[in-house]
Amino acid sequence: MSKLMIAAGIVLVLDTFLISAVSNMNLGVVMPALLGIPLLITGLFYDRAAVWFETGAGAVVKWALIAGYSIFLLTFVFTAVLIGSASSKKPGEADAVVVLGAGLRGRRVSYTLARRLDAAIDYALQYPGIPVVVTGSRGPGELLSEAEAMKNYLVSKGFPEERIIIEDRAKSTSENFRFSKLILDKLLEKPYRTAYVTTDFHLFRAGLVAKEEGLTAFGIGAETKWYLLPNNCLREYVAIWMYFLTGKIGFMLP
């Protein structure tokens, strides 16, 4: 058992160090280390820990760890199934496209955001004439708004500039949809359907937020790098439950 705990702890801590070298630091990157350190420490000092866990405060800590890891595993598997179910749905026909921002590198879109924009181009070119709203404000360390950089990327790929609408105030997923809806309500005849474009692991939460903001919408998912998927799912796991517990999204089952 001690060897298994040490191995699991090393893998989880190593994951954090390796992924932090190729991705922005976020909770999804840090969480494997947070999960792995208790396992690693317990495994390294297994004999002493086994004795301590049998009495007093040690017994409380032992059962708290067992309960914590059990609850995490159950809720994570449940959440991962929901995330996967959203990624597997086929897009239909929409009256407008909303592309959610995802960070810049100075003036240039990040890899993740570029994949979202590529997916938006592939979809929007199938339906000539529908508007494409690019949404996102200017964040720390960014030299222009995400929306402006997104427009520049689309134009550089040959997408018609006249079809692009900039929404540059939004600082969160909720605001992405809220402010985009204000634009589309003035532009389109109701009722209308919106296709929102985001990264595949983010589709489920984004769909719930869109519903809360009053949009009739479906998602189009851009693929993420396979080695980032576990960490991104961990990040989404935390975000989904935080949104649910704070009332930002409603009941999570369809």
Side-chain angles (χ1 to χ4, degrees):
M1 178 63 75
S2 63
K3 292 181 180 179
L4 181 61
M5 296 178 78
I6 291 171
I10 290 174
V11 168
L12 289 167
V13 172
L14 190 59
D15 174 86
T16 290
F17 280 101
L18 292 176
I19 297 301
S20 65
V22 297
S23 176
N24 294 333
M25 187 61 69
N26 57 61
L27 191 55
V29 175
V30 175
M31 271 193 73
L34 297 178
L35 293 168
I37 288 172
L39 295 176
L40 184 58
I41 293 174
T42 303
L44 288 172
F45 303 98
Y46 186 78
D47 291 337
R48 293 182 183 179
V51 174
W52 185 67
F53 281 150
E54 291 302 317
T55 58
V60 174
V61 172
K62 179 183 75 173
W63 287 109
L65 288 172
I66 291 173
Y69 278 99
S70 299
I71 291 170
F72 165 74
L73 285 173
L74 288 172
T75 54
F76 180 74
V77 170
F78 171 73
T79 308
V81 170
L82 294 177
I83 292 172
S85 68
S87 301
S88 64
K89 294 179 180 178
K90 300 294 183 182
E93 184 173 352
D95 302 297
V97 176
V98 174
V99 190
L100 307 185
L104 305 179
R105 298 289 183 269
R107 292 181 174 274
R108 302 180 63 180
V109 299
S110 62
Y111 172 86
T112 297
L113 187 49
R115 298 292 74 77
R116 293 184 185 185
L117 292 164
D118 290 340
I121 291 172
D122 290 342
Y123 178 82
L125 289 179
Q126 299 177 51
Y127 304 100
I130 66 172
V132 175
V133 180
V134 288
T135 170
S137 63
R138 178 179 174 180
E142 297 175 349
L143 301 178
L144 71 169
S145 71
E146 292 177 4
E148 186 68 34
M150 292 159 76
K151 176 183 177 181
N152 294 342
Y153 181 89
L154 290 174
V155 172
S156 74
K157 294 293 183 178
F159 192 80
E161 185 174 358
E162 63 273 13
R163 293 179 59 185
I164 305 170
I165 301 173
I166 287 179
E167 188 295 296
D168 59 3
R169 295 187 296 152
K171 299 180 183 296
S172 66
T173 303
S174 296
E175 290 185 352
N176 286 143
F177 287 118
R178 187 178 309 144
F179 297 151
S180 296
K181 184 176 184 296
L182 291 175
I183 293 171
L184 295 175
D185 282 349
K186 296 177 181 179
L187 186 66
L188 301 175
E189 183 178 346
K190 297 179 182 179
Y192 60 84
R193 295 185 74 206
T194 305
Y196 61 89
V197 184
T198 186
T199 313
D200 47 13
F201 64 84
H202 186 233
L203 282 171
F204 176 72
R205 177 162 60 100
L208 294 177
V209 174
K211 183 178 179 180
E212 289 293 320
E213 294 297 333
L215 279 170
T216 301
F218 60 86
I220 298 171
E223 291 186 2
T224 189
K225 293 178 179 178
W226 64 268
Y227 54 84
L228 294 177
L229 190 57
N231 298 84
N232 286 332
C233 284
L234 281 170
R235 180 184 179 186
E236 274 303 291
Y237 161 78
V238 174
I240 287 169
W241 283 99
M242 286 297 294
Y243 269 47
F244 177 68
L245 294 173
T246 57
K248 291 183 179 180
I249 56 176
F251 190 55
M252 289 190 286
L253 290 177

